[in-house]
Amino acid sequence: KAGVTQTPRYLIKTRGQQVTLSCSPISGHRSVSWYQQTPGQGLQFLFEYFSETQRNKGNFPGRFSGRQFSNSRSEMNVSTLELGDSALYLCASSRLNYRGQETQYFGPGTRLLVL
Amino acid sequence: DAKTTQPNSMESNEEEPVHLPCNHSTISGTDYIHWYRQLPSQGPEYVIHGLTSNVNNRMASLAIAEDRKSSTLILHRATLRDAAVYYCILKGNRDDKIIFGKGTRLHILP
């Protein structure tokens, strides 16, 4: 079974631009979560989508948004990029809502550099 | 939001057992304890999880204190490939934020 895939793997943008990252979950998984990882803040939860609905959201500004499609694939968008948005963006999928006993499977991440 | 506390780093010798502690004094009765690890240049990977009883799988064992305020991930025989950042998180049956924290960076000495 193929794992979680993320595209692109690397991206360079400039301040003020916007970016869209894509995540394809494991086949049959209906939940997708997004995380931002930086050396200073560690791994921080952005949001979770299940059945095309945002079910959970972390403490990030409205510039960070996402969506999930009917095939469970998900995209995350960051508008008006700032230097501090440079990070590794990780996507994780789980069969159902990530609750209780459910486990998440992570992709390799997209490394975003904002200049 | 329920939080966990882990040491920043630990060191162990190859082929020795490793005990990685995690404190979670505000754990609620329905919170599961999950462990993930992140190897260099990779996304995190699931290791093990439990609720009240100790758990074993092919990767590790999880020992949960009787009061559930702490737990310990046990790697029975560490190898160089176990060098990673280990995260302990709590996951309940509700829509709460998922908090990974900084984890414990495990160094394995050959």
Side-chain angles (χ1 to χ4, degrees):
Chain A
K1 200 183 235 188
V4 177
T5 57
Q6 293 187 244
T7 55
R9 292 293 310 279
Y10 304 92
L11 203 50
I12 300 175
K13 292 284 188 179
T14 56
R15 274 181 300 175
Q17 287 188 308
Q18 77 162 13
V19 67
T20 299
L21 311 181
S22 181
C23 171
S24 292
I26 290 172
S27 177
H29 283 197
R30 293 166 59 194
S31 167
V32 172
S33 296
W34 288 90
Y35 297 84
Q36 180 196 66
Q37 186 169 37
T38 59
Q41 298 298 319
L43 199 58
Q44 293 187 284
F45 171 71
L46 280 156
F47 27 65
E48 179 189 14
Y49 285 86
F50 179 75
S51 293
E52 302 176 66
T53 303
Q54 188 180 89
R55 297 304 181 99
N56 203 350
K57 190 177 191 307
N59 295 328
F60 278 82
R63 299 185 297 107
F64 291 82
S65 64
R67 60 178 176 168
Q68 187 180 32
F69 302 96
S70 58
N71 61 359
S72 294
R73 190 178 69 85
S74 176
E75 287 182 347
M76 153 197 157
N77 184 276
V78 188
S79 61
T80 321
L81 283 165
E82 300 176 359
L83 296 179
D85 297 333
S86 295
L88 180 66
Y89 290 88
L90 290 156
C91 163
S93 76
S94 56
R95 193 174 50 90
L96 300 173
N97 268 6
Y98 185 42
R99 305 285 181 272
Q101 293 202 69
E102 278 293 310
T103 55
Q104 289 193 314
Y105 297 83
F106 284 79
T110 293
R111 188 162 295 282
L112 171 65
L113 177 61
V114 181
L115 302 175
Chain B
D1 302 323
K3 285 191 68 175
T4 62
T5 305
Q6 300 177 254
N8 289 335
S9 67
M10 288 183 64
E11 211 170 74
S12 180
N13 294 319
E14 197 177 9
E15 299 187 6
E16 295 284 320
V18 181
H19 290 235
L20 296 161
C22 181
N23 288 320
H24 29 78
S25 57
T26 60
I27 190 170
S28 76
T30 56
D31 283 343
Y32 281 80
I33 302 157
H34 290 243
W35 283 82
Y36 287 79
R37 72 179 185 180
Q38 188 171 19
L39 295 126
S41 304
Q42 294 187 29
E45 64 175 347
Y46 166 78
V47 178
I48 200 167
H49 75 275
L51 183 63
T52 55
S53 305
N54 294 345
V55 185
N56 299 297
N57 67 20
R58 64 174 181 81
M59 285 181 75
S61 295
L62 176 60
I64 301 172
E66 200 170 328
D67 63 4
R68 300 207 331 122
K69 293 184 186 299
S70 66
S71 61
T72 302
L73 178 71
I74 302 165
L75 306 179
H76 294 286
R77 200 163 161 269
T79 69
L80 295 177
R81 288 175 296 177
D82 291 321
V85 178
Y86 287 78
Y87 297 96
C88 163
I89 69 169
L90 303 180
K91 203 68 201 79
N93 291 317
R94 57 190 182 276
D95 289 340
D96 53 345
K97 291 187 272 290
I98 303 162
I99 302 175
F100 266 78
K102 298 292 181 70
T104 296
R105 184 171 295 279
L106 176 64
H107 301 273
I108 304 296
L109 305 176

